[in-house]
C-alpha cells in the first residue's frame, strides 16, 4: 500500500461562525422575490444574489445594512458623490457601489436601484440564457433589424 495514500482522513467538524446566519432584512427579502434570483454565500462573509450566475447585489453577513449593487456608469458617478455611498472594493471598475450608511438612500430608492441592477445584469446575459430563463421578449430579434441576414455591399470589380 502506498504510504501517501493511507486510510481516508476523518471528516473535520465545521465550526459555526458567529454572525454567519443569513440576515433577515427587507432588502434581502426583496432580492429573494425577484424572478430567477439565486442566493449564495461567497468569500465566507457575503450573501450574494445572482441572475443567471451573474451577481447583481451583495450583503455583508455580519451587518445586512451594508450592501453593494451594480449600476450604470452615470449613476455610479452620482451615487458615489453621496455621503454613505462609496465605490465597492474590488468591483468599482465594474460600476459597483457600496452603501455603508443605510440612511444615504431611502428604502424605495434602494429597491428601485437593486431592481435596476437586476435588470442591467439580466439584459447582459447571453440571449440563449435569457431565453432559458424566459427573459427574452418573444419574437424579438435581439440585435437584428429583420429576420434576414445582412448582406455585404457589392464590391467594385477591378
Amino acid at each position: 500500500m502506498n504510504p501517501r495514500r493511507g486510510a481516508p482522513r476523518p471528516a473535520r467538524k465545521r465550526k459555526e461562525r458567529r454572525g454567519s446566519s443569513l440576515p433577515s432584512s427587507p432588502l434581502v427579502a426583496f432580492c429573494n422575490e425577484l424572478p430567477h434570483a439565486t442566493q449564495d454565500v461567497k468569500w465566507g462573509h457575503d450573501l450574494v444574489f445572482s441572475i443567471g450566475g451573474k451577481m447583481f447585489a451583495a450583503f455583508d453577513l455580519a451587518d445586512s445594512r451594508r450592501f453593494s449593487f451594480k449600476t450604470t456608469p452615470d449613476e455610479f458617478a452620482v451615487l458615489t458623490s453621496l455621503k454613505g455611498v462609496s465605490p465597492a472594493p474590488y468591483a468599482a471598475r465594474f460600476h459597483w457601489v457600496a452603501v455603508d450608511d443605510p440612511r444615504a438612500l431611502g428604502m424605495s430608492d434602494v429597491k428601485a436601484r437593486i431592481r435596476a441592477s437586476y435588470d442591467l445584469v439580466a439584459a447582459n446575459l447571453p440571449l440563449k440564457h435569457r431565453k432559458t430563463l424566459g427573459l427574452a421578449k418573444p419574437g424579438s430579434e435581439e440585435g437584428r433589424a429583420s429576420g434576414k441576414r445582412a448582406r455585404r455591399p457589392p464590391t467594385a470589380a477591378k
Side-chain angles (χ1 to χ4, degrees):
M1 179 156 92
N2 186 343
R4 289 181 167 242
R5 294 188 186 190
R9 293 182 184 172
R12 291 185 187 181
K13 290 183 181 177
R14 294 182 70 179
K15 293 182 182 178
E16 288 295 321
R17 292 176 28 161
R18 277 190 184 177
S20 65
S21 63
L22 298 180
S24 61
S25 81
L27 293 176
V28 170
F30 174 75
C31 289
N32 274 319
E33 293 171 1
L34 293 171
H36 308 291
T38 58
Q39 71 178 21
D40 187 22
V41 176
K42 294 191 186 290
W43 310 293
H45 56 81
D46 289 321
L47 177 62
V48 174
F49 287 91
S50 303
I51 173 76
K54 302 292 184 180
M55 302 184 319
F56 68 88
F59 293 84
D60 186 342
L61 280 174
D63 182 4
S64 65
R65 294 174 299 166
R66 294 179 48 165
F67 58 94
S68 301
F69 57 90
K70 184 174 179 62
T71 188
T72 64
D74 292 335
E75 286 187 6
F76 179 82
V78 172
L79 289 171
T80 54
S81 68
L82 299 174
K83 187 175 182 179
V85 181
S86 60
Y90 309 107
R93 65 186 173 143
F94 304 112
H95 306 110
W96 276 71
V97 294
V99 179
D100 299 315
D101 183 0
R103 296 171 293 181
L105 303 166
M107 182 62 74
S108 61
D109 190 26
V110 170
K111 284 182 178 179
R113 291 181 188 278
I114 289 177
R115 178 61 198 225
S117 174
Y118 169 89
D119 292 338
L120 179 67
V121 172
N124 286 319
L125 291 173
L127 178 60
K128 184 177 179 181
H129 207 120
R130 282 182 284 158
K131 283 183 178 179
T132 302
L133 295 174
L135 299 174
K137 294 177 185 143
S140 69
E141 293 299 321
E142 299 286 336
R144 285 195 267 164
S146 69
K148 297 179 183 177
R149 282 188 154 178
R151 293 187 351 192
R152 288 186 185 173
T155 57
K158 292 185 180 181

